[in-house]
Structures are given as structure tokens and as C-alpha cells.
Amino acid sequence: MPAKLIDGKAVAQQIREGIKAEVEQLVASGKEPPGLGVVLVGDDPASRTYVSMKEKACRAAGIYSEEHALPADSSQEKVLGIIEEYNRNPKIHGILVQLPLPDHLDSEQVLLAVRPDKDVDGFHPENVGRLWEGHPRFVPCTPLGILELIHSTGVPLKGKRAVVVGRSNIVGKPTAALLMAEHATITICHSRTADLPGECRSADVLVAAIGRARMIQGDWIKPGALVIDVGINRIAEGEKSRLVGDVDFEAAREVAGYLTPVPGGVGPMTIAMLLRNTLTSARRAQR
Ligand code: GUN
């Protein structure tokens, strides 16, 4: 039987409608709407697209948003200055610095400058530490979205073997922390893992976040496994191009129990979780 596909677009839409209703209630009760401050540096087209999608989603949910789009050669001080403004602005409950930043900027220092209680991306070391120590405040959006999709299947995580391929701070590491918190036994794999196919084959839950088009083969997947494909890779196809994940979708479909498509799987969830984190932040600030 082919894998059941997990419809991230539908799950995300439902969550976004719920958030919209909550924002309406908040505003009806006399509170300020949640506000998101965005910093985009440079002109990477993918980052530009993501930021536009995030702002559009804010508008649709009744969340206020502001953007500072800076030229690629902006100084560290300029970026830090804008973050400082957002830190102080009471209308802004969430701050998002779109990554990656241009090479000449010190990303670590930029992320440290974001007030931890406005860090809706969950990238500040204080929030990273809180996640691993078991008292999360803000959890990064893509990992949260992955967890929601797993929950939507009803497959329990307790005692399962979960393998995360990719060790990034944005996806791999925080996803592993969340899966462990739900009592899965976690393995984090990466480019130097000795037997990647073998590790993948041991997974009841496999999360692919490597950024290499269709790297995970059908015969790397345990029959019936739940497979989450975080990859968004643009590949040439004749005159055109199209998006594919980190998993060979057609092959995986014949083996997996559940599978996320690309596009329409994890992607839409990231934005829904950003809205949720921003709403949560506003509620905490307005208590
Ligand atoms: N770049 C890739 N993913 C993300 C994300 O979730 N947040 C931000 N700020 N930048 C990203």
C-alpha cells in the first residue's frame, strides 16, 4: 500500500484560521494586535520570497508586521541598531532576522542581540538552552511544524527510533530535542555519518533536513516508517525548474507508511508556527 501523504498545506491552513480567530478575540478585548518585526539583509531571492510570504500570512491573520530591508553591504552596527529599535518597540512582540545573513556580518552576535522574550524564531542561545533543558520558551518554527505534522498522523513517538538527518541549528538539532522530549530515542546524522543508509533504515520516524535533492533513497527507508521531508531544492528540468525534497519521493512513497510531499508538506507549517509564536509572545507581554 502506498504511503499516506501528510497534507501540510491543509494542516497549516487550519492552524492559521485558528490563530486569526484568536487574534480577533484579543483585539475585541481591547488589546493591541500581535506585532512582528522583520529584518532582511541583502537580495537573496529565496529569502525575499520567504519574508514576503511571512508578512502576507501576518496580514491575513490580523498580525501587525514591519520590515526593514537593508542592502547587502549593511554594517553590523546598522543591523544591531534596528534590532535594538524592535527590542524597545512595545508594538513589536516578535523579531525575525531572516537567515542566512551576508558573510561579512556576525550572525551569532546578531542573534544574541534579539531580546529573548521577543525571539519568535527561538535562535537566541538562551532559548536554545531552555529547549534542551526541558523548559522551552520559543521553539524554532520549522521543528515545531514538523512535530505538528507528526501529531496529525496520530502515530505515537514514545519509545520510537527517530533519526534526524542534518545537524543545523535551525532544523536538525531543535527537531531532535523535540522528538526526545516526546520520548523518542534520537540519532542525529550528518555528512560524516559512517553508514547513513543503515542509520536511516533503523528509523521508525525519519526526518530529512540535509539540503541535498532526493538524497534519501527508497531502500534507505524502513517499511511503514513515518518520513518527514524538510528539503526544498530547486532542480533544473529541461527548460524549467521544479522543487524537490531531500527524499526520493516516488521511491519513498512505495515503502513509507506516512510521507510529506514537497512542496505542500513542512514548508507551509513553518509560517503557521511563526504566527503562533508571535501570538504567544503578544499574550505573554499583555498579561
Ligand atoms: N532561514 C531558513 N529558515 C529560517 C527560519 O525559520 N527563520 C529565519 N529567520 N530564517 C530562516
Side-chain angles (χ1 to χ4, degrees), residues 54 96-99 121 123 170:
K54 288 169 185 178
L96 182 141
V97 182
Q98 186 64 32
L99 300 179
D121 255 332
F123 295 161
I170 295 181

